[in-house]
Short mmCIF file of all heavy atoms in Angstrom, two decimals:
data_model
loop_
_atom_site.label_atom_id
_atom_site.label_comp_id
_atom_site.label_asym_id
_atom_site.label_seq_id
_atom_site.Cartn_x
_atom_site.Cartn_y
_atom_site.Cartn_z
N GLY L 1 114.19 -36.21 -3.25
CA GLY L 1 114.60 -37.32 -4.13
C GLY L 1 113.79 -37.32 -5.41
O GLY L 1 114.32 -37.57 -6.49
N TRP L 2 112.51 -37.04 -5.31
CA TRP L 2 111.63 -36.96 -6.52
C TRP L 2 112.07 -35.83 -7.41
O TRP L 2 112.13 -36.00 -8.63
CB TRP L 2 110.19 -36.76 -6.06
CG TRP L 2 109.24 -36.70 -7.19
CD1 TRP L 2 108.69 -37.72 -7.89
CD2 TRP L 2 108.69 -35.50 -7.79
NE1 TRP L 2 107.84 -37.28 -8.88
CE2 TRP L 2 107.83 -35.89 -8.84
CE3 TRP L 2 108.85 -34.12 -7.54
CZ2 TRP L 2 107.14 -34.98 -9.62
CZ3 TRP L 2 108.18 -33.22 -8.32
CH2 TRP L 2 107.32 -33.65 -9.34
N ILE L 3 112.40 -34.68 -6.84
CA ILE L 3 112.86 -33.53 -7.67
C ILE L 3 114.11 -33.93 -8.45
O ILE L 3 114.23 -33.64 -9.64
CB ILE L 3 113.14 -32.32 -6.75
CG1 ILE L 3 111.82 -31.75 -6.24
CG2 ILE L 3 113.94 -31.26 -7.49
CD1 ILE L 3 111.98 -30.69 -5.17
N VAL L 4 115.05 -34.58 -7.78
CA VAL L 4 116.29 -34.98 -8.45
C VAL L 4 116.00 -35.97 -9.60
O VAL L 4 116.57 -35.85 -10.69
CB VAL L 4 117.30 -35.58 -7.45
CG1 VAL L 4 118.49 -36.19 -8.15
CG2 VAL L 4 117.73 -34.52 -6.44
N LEU L 5 115.14 -36.94 -9.36
CA LEU L 5 114.80 -37.92 -10.39
C LEU L 5 114.15 -37.26 -11.59
O LEU L 5 114.47 -37.60 -12.75
CB LEU L 5 113.89 -39.00 -9.79
CG LEU L 5 114.54 -39.95 -8.78
CD1 LEU L 5 113.48 -40.82 -8.13
CD2 LEU L 5 115.63 -40.80 -9.44
N VAL L 6 113.22 -36.34 -11.36
CA VAL L 6 112.55 -35.66 -12.46
C VAL L 6 113.55 -34.80 -13.25
O VAL L 6 113.54 -34.76 -14.49
CB VAL L 6 111.38 -34.80 -11.94
CG1 VAL L 6 110.80 -33.92 -13.05
CG2 VAL L 6 110.30 -35.67 -11.37
N LEU L 7 114.45 -34.14 -12.52
CA LEU L 7 115.46 -33.34 -13.18
C LEU L 7 116.36 -34.20 -14.06
O LEU L 7 116.67 -33.84 -15.20
CB LEU L 7 116.31 -32.58 -12.14
CG LEU L 7 117.42 -31.70 -12.68
CD1 LEU L 7 116.86 -30.59 -13.55
CD2 LEU L 7 118.23 -31.09 -11.52
N LEU L 8 116.76 -35.36 -13.56
CA LEU L 8 117.59 -36.26 -14.35
C LEU L 8 116.83 -36.78 -15.55
O LEU L 8 117.41 -36.93 -16.65
CB LEU L 8 118.05 -37.45 -13.47
CG LEU L 8 119.06 -37.12 -12.36
CD1 LEU L 8 119.31 -38.34 -11.49
CD2 LEU L 8 120.37 -36.59 -12.95
N PHE L 9 115.55 -37.08 -15.41
CA PHE L 9 114.73 -37.56 -16.49
C PHE L 9 114.70 -36.56 -17.65
O PHE L 9 114.94 -36.90 -18.82
CB PHE L 9 113.32 -37.83 -16.00
CG PHE L 9 112.35 -38.26 -17.08
CD1 PHE L 9 112.29 -39.56 -17.53
CD2 PHE L 9 111.49 -37.29 -17.69
CE1 PHE L 9 111.41 -39.93 -18.55
CE2 PHE L 9 110.63 -37.65 -18.68
CZ PHE L 9 110.59 -38.97 -19.12
N PHE L 10 114.40 -35.30 -17.35
CA PHE L 10 114.32 -34.31 -18.42
C PHE L 10 115.69 -33.93 -18.96
O PHE L 10 115.82 -33.60 -20.14
CB PHE L 10 113.58 -33.06 -17.91
CG PHE L 10 112.08 -33.26 -17.82
CD1 PHE L 10 111.42 -33.11 -16.62
CD2 PHE L 10 111.36 -33.57 -18.94
CE1 PHE L 10 110.03 -33.28 -16.53
CE2 PHE L 10 109.97 -33.75 -18.89
CZ PHE L 10 109.30 -33.60 -17.68
N SER L 11 116.72 -33.98 -18.11
CA SER L 11 118.07 -33.66 -18.58
C SER L 11 118.60 -34.71 -19.55
O SER L 11 119.46 -34.41 -20.39
CB SER L 11 119.01 -33.52 -17.40
OG SER L 11 118.62 -32.43 -16.56
N ALA L 12 118.11 -35.94 -19.45
CA ALA L 12 118.58 -37.01 -20.32
C ALA L 12 118.14 -36.89 -21.74
O ALA L 12 118.76 -37.45 -22.65
CB ALA L 12 118.14 -38.37 -19.75
N SER L 13 117.08 -36.13 -21.98
CA SER L 13 116.59 -35.92 -23.35
C SER L 13 117.26 -34.73 -23.97
O SER L 13 117.51 -33.70 -23.32
CB SER L 13 115.07 -35.72 -23.36
OG SER L 13 114.60 -35.41 -24.65
N ALA L 14 117.55 -34.80 -25.27
CA ALA L 14 118.19 -33.67 -25.95
C ALA L 14 117.24 -32.49 -26.07
O ALA L 14 117.65 -31.35 -26.06
CB ALA L 14 118.66 -34.11 -27.35
N GLY L 15 115.93 -32.75 -26.21
CA GLY L 15 114.94 -31.69 -26.32
C GLY L 15 114.53 -31.16 -24.96
O GLY L 15 114.09 -31.91 -24.12
N LYS L 16 114.73 -29.86 -24.75
CA LYS L 16 114.46 -29.27 -23.45
C LYS L 16 113.79 -27.92 -23.60
O LYS L 16 114.13 -27.15 -24.49
CB LYS L 16 115.78 -29.09 -22.65
CG LYS L 16 116.53 -30.35 -22.37
CD LYS L 16 117.84 -30.07 -21.66
CE LYS L 16 118.61 -31.34 -21.33
NZ LYS L 16 119.11 -31.98 -22.57
N ARG L 17 112.81 -27.67 -22.74
CA ARG L 17 112.18 -26.36 -22.65
C ARG L 17 112.05 -26.02 -21.15
O ARG L 17 111.94 -26.90 -20.31
CB ARG L 17 110.78 -26.33 -23.28
CG ARG L 17 110.79 -26.53 -24.79
CD ARG L 17 109.37 -26.43 -25.34
NE ARG L 17 108.79 -25.12 -25.10
CZ ARG L 17 107.48 -24.86 -25.14
NH1 ARG L 17 106.64 -25.85 -25.41
NH2 ARG L 17 107.04 -23.65 -24.94
N ASP L 18 112.07 -24.73 -20.87
CA ASP L 18 112.09 -24.32 -19.45
C ASP L 18 110.85 -24.82 -18.69
O ASP L 18 110.94 -25.14 -17.51
CB ASP L 18 112.21 -22.78 -19.34
CG ASP L 18 111.10 -22.05 -20.11
OD1 ASP L 18 110.38 -22.70 -20.86
OD2 ASP L 18 111.00 -20.83 -19.94
N VAL L 19 109.70 -24.93 -19.38
CA VAL L 19 108.47 -25.32 -18.70
C VAL L 19 108.43 -26.80 -18.34
O VAL L 19 107.60 -27.22 -17.50
CB VAL L 19 107.22 -24.97 -19.52
CG1 VAL L 19 107.09 -23.48 -19.71
CG2 VAL L 19 107.26 -25.68 -20.87
N TYR L 20 109.32 -27.61 -18.93
CA TYR L 20 109.26 -29.04 -18.64
C TYR L 20 109.45 -29.34 -17.15
O TYR L 20 108.86 -30.28 -16.63
CB TYR L 20 110.34 -29.77 -19.43
CG TYR L 20 110.06 -29.87 -20.93
CD1 TYR L 20 111.00 -30.43 -21.81
CD2 TYR L 20 108.89 -29.41 -21.49
CE1 TYR L 20 110.78 -30.51 -23.18
CE2 TYR L 20 108.64 -29.48 -22.85
CZ TYR L 20 109.59 -30.04 -23.69
OH TYR L 20 109.36 -30.13 -25.03
N ILE L 21 110.30 -28.56 -16.46
CA ILE L 21 110.62 -28.85 -15.07
C ILE L 21 109.71 -28.11 -14.11
O ILE L 21 109.88 -28.20 -12.90
CB ILE L 21 112.09 -28.55 -14.74
CG1 ILE L 21 112.41 -27.06 -14.98
CG2 ILE L 21 113.03 -29.44 -15.54
CD1 ILE L 21 113.75 -26.64 -14.42
N LEU L 22 108.71 -27.40 -14.65
CA LEU L 22 107.80 -26.67 -13.76
C LEU L 22 107.11 -27.56 -12.74
O LEU L 22 106.87 -27.11 -11.59
CB LEU L 22 106.78 -25.89 -14.60
CG LEU L 22 105.90 -24.90 -13.85
CD1 LEU L 22 106.73 -23.80 -13.18
CD2 LEU L 22 104.88 -24.26 -14.79
N PRO L 23 106.72 -28.79 -13.04
CA PRO L 23 106.09 -29.65 -12.02
C PRO L 23 106.95 -29.87 -10.77
O PRO L 23 106.43 -30.25 -9.70
CB PRO L 23 105.86 -30.97 -12.74
CG PRO L 23 105.73 -30.59 -14.19
CD PRO L 23 106.70 -29.47 -14.36
N MET L 24 108.27 -29.63 -10.85
CA MET L 24 109.15 -29.77 -9.68
C MET L 24 108.91 -28.68 -8.67
O MET L 24 109.17 -28.86 -7.47
CB MET L 24 110.62 -29.75 -10.13
CG MET L 24 111.04 -30.92 -10.98
SD MET L 24 112.61 -30.62 -11.85
CE MET L 24 113.60 -29.79 -10.63
#
């Protein structure tokens, strides 16, 4: 559930980099 929430959080922003989701 935490992974999904973090993914949704970063996906909601227009600015994205591959390293942003590394904490997942």
Side-chain angles (χ1 to χ4, degrees):
W2 180 81
I3 289 171
V4 171
L5 290 172
V6 172
L7 180 61
L8 291 174
F9 175 83
F10 284 121
S11 297
S13 174
K16 299 177 179 68
R17 293 182 63 198
D18 56 351
V19 295
Y20 289 174
I21 60 169
L22 190 61
M24 294 163 40

